[in-house]
Amino acid sequence: MFIFGTNTKMQHTPQISQQFLQEVIEKARDHLNHVQLFYIPPYTSLTGVSEFCQRHNIWLGAQNTHWELEGAFTGEVAAPILKASGASFVMLGHVERRQMFAETDEMINKKVLAASSTGLRVMLCVGESAFEKRAGAGNTAVKRQLELALSGYKHPEQLLILYEPVWSIGSGGEAASPDYVARAMDNIRATLKEKFAREGEGVPILYGGSVNADNCAPYALLSQCAGLGVGRTGWEAESFVKVLRTALAAR
């Protein structure tokens, strides 16, 4: 099953989220037996679309969580609240959280463990910076992120890895070549197997980073690629489904 979806960041009001998902289901109806869709909207959309997502088997994700399960942390959202709001997984370690909000590997690890204790699936984002790439240390950086974020984590069956090279995301991002992504995914798979033994072979690895309808096919064909995370291209239902159709046709 091909895993496919989008993180809408600070896009999509609750009403737009409902409209978006309804349009996606209508436009992608012929492909739903071949794909596991996921959708990661702002917190405010979770409760409004949770029933729809359950009915259509869409994984509904949150964009972040706090590492404490409750407490005096104004403006934060705890994992139990996310689960009660309908989220089935949470995305952690996104580069925007690392860079803009100074999230450390230790903080991300604590969030991973908090989400796991609540029964949420974890989508862990990893990726090297442009400097690490130029220095030939990309694989080392990603391996380190995985090892630290997953320290003490015991549920690989509830884990997904989203590989997003830092230099490839955002409005000025440059999509990585399929060969580059293949090597990076081999490194991720090897690290997961070191960590979880045979169970590490079954952890889905997704690629995200300036994915669109023109470049998605080669990524979808990669042996280690279990799916794609689409950025701004996926924020409109028509373009979302166009990328999905192209990727599935390639497989």
Side-chain angles (χ1 to χ4, degrees), residues 191-209:
T191 305
L192 292 171
K193 289 168 69 174
E194 288 177 10
K195 172 70 177 174
F196 300 116
R198 290 189 62 182
E199 290 182 284
E201 297 177 359
V203 176
I205 305 173
L206 286 64
Y207 174 69

Side-chain angles (χ1 to χ4, degrees), residues 92-132:
L92 297 171
H94 193 280
V95 64
E96 290 168 357
R97 298 298 312 178
R98 294 177 187 263
Q99 292 185 342
M100 298 179 187
F101 301 96
E103 287 194 2
T104 65
D105 290 307
E106 182 179 5
M107 292 165 65
I108 294 165
N109 173 245
K110 291 194 293 185
K111 292 182 178 192
V112 166
L113 298 180
S116 176
S117 73
T118 311
L120 289 172
R121 185 187 294 267
V122 171
M123 176 181 285
L124 177 63
C125 301
V126 296
E128 75 285 0
S129 68
F131 172 72
E132 288 164 337

Side-chain angles (χ1 to χ4, degrees), residues 8 11 19 21 29 32 74 90-91 95 100 106-107 110 126 139-140 159 166 169 177 179 182 185 204 209 214 226:
T8 68
Q11 312 288 330
Q19 293 172 345
L21 291 174
R29 192 171 301 278
L32 297 179
T74 300
V90 59
M91 181 177 63
V95 64
M100 298 179 187
E106 182 179 5
M107 292 165 65
K110 291 194 293 185
V126 296
N139 281 349
T140 300
L159 178 66
V166 176
I169 65 175
S177 72
D179 288 344
M185 286 187 167
D214 295 327

Side-chain angles (χ1 to χ4, degrees), residues 12-229:
H12 289 194
T13 64
Q15 181 180 6
I16 291 174
S17 289
Q18 293 174 11
Q19 293 172 345
F20 172 82
L21 291 174
Q22 289 170 354
E23 289 181 27
V24 164
I25 291 300
E26 291 171 3
K27 295 177 183 296
R29 192 171 301 278
D30 295 340
H31 304 282
L32 297 179
N33 290 333
H34 308 287
V35 65
Q36 174 60 64
L37 294 176
F38 69 85
Y39 178 60
I40 313 176
Y43 298 133
T44 49
S45 290
L46 292 176
T47 55
V49 300
S50 62
E51 183 178 343
F52 184 90
C53 288
Q54 290 177 6
R55 188 163 66 248
H56 293 280
N57 190 34
I58 300 170
W59 288 347
L60 179 62
Q63 296 179 14
N64 188 33
T65 190
H66 197 272
W67 58 80
E68 294 289 352
L69 301 183
E70 62 179 9
F73 302 97
T74 300
E76 294 290 332
V77 181
I81 296 175
L82 296 177
K83 189 173 183 181
S85 298
S88 59
F89 76 97
V90 59
M91 181 177 63
L92 297 171
H94 193 280
V95 64
E96 290 168 357
R97 298 298 312 178
R98 294 177 187 263
Q99 292 185 342
M100 298 179 187
F101 301 96
E103 287 194 2
T104 65
D105 290 307
E106 182 179 5
M107 292 165 65
I108 294 165
N109 173 245
K110 291 194 293 185
K111 292 182 178 192
V112 166
L113 298 180
S116 176
S117 73
T118 311
L120 289 172
R121 185 187 294 267
V122 171
M123 176 181 285
L124 177 63
C125 301
V126 296
E128 75 285 0
S129 68
F131 172 72
E132 288 164 337
K133 178 190 176 189
R134 290 195 303 270
N139 281 349
T140 300
V142 170
K143 180 179 176 67
R144 179 179 182 276
Q145 290 173 5
L146 287 166
E147 290 175 340
L148 294 177
L150 297 175
S151 177
Y153 184 71
K154 305 295 185 183
H155 298 283
E157 75 283 358
Q158 294 292 318
L159 178 66
L160 303 98
I161 304 298
L162 178 59
Y163 172 59
E164 291 186 319
V166 176
W167 45 271
S168 72
I169 65 175
S171 58
E174 173 189 355
S177 72
D179 288 344
Y180 187 93
V181 175
R183 292 192 296 272
M185 286 187 167
D186 285 343
N187 173 57
I188 292 170
R189 179 65 68 204
T191 305
L192 292 171
K193 289 168 69 174
E194 288 177 10
K195 172 70 177 174
F196 300 116
R198 290 189 62 182
E199 290 182 284
E201 297 177 359
V203 176
I205 305 173
L206 286 64
Y207 174 69
S210 298
V211 175
N212 57 47
D214 295 327
N215 64 22
C216 65
Y219 300 131
L221 286 170
L222 297 177
S223 62
Q224 295 287 3
C225 186
L228 297 172

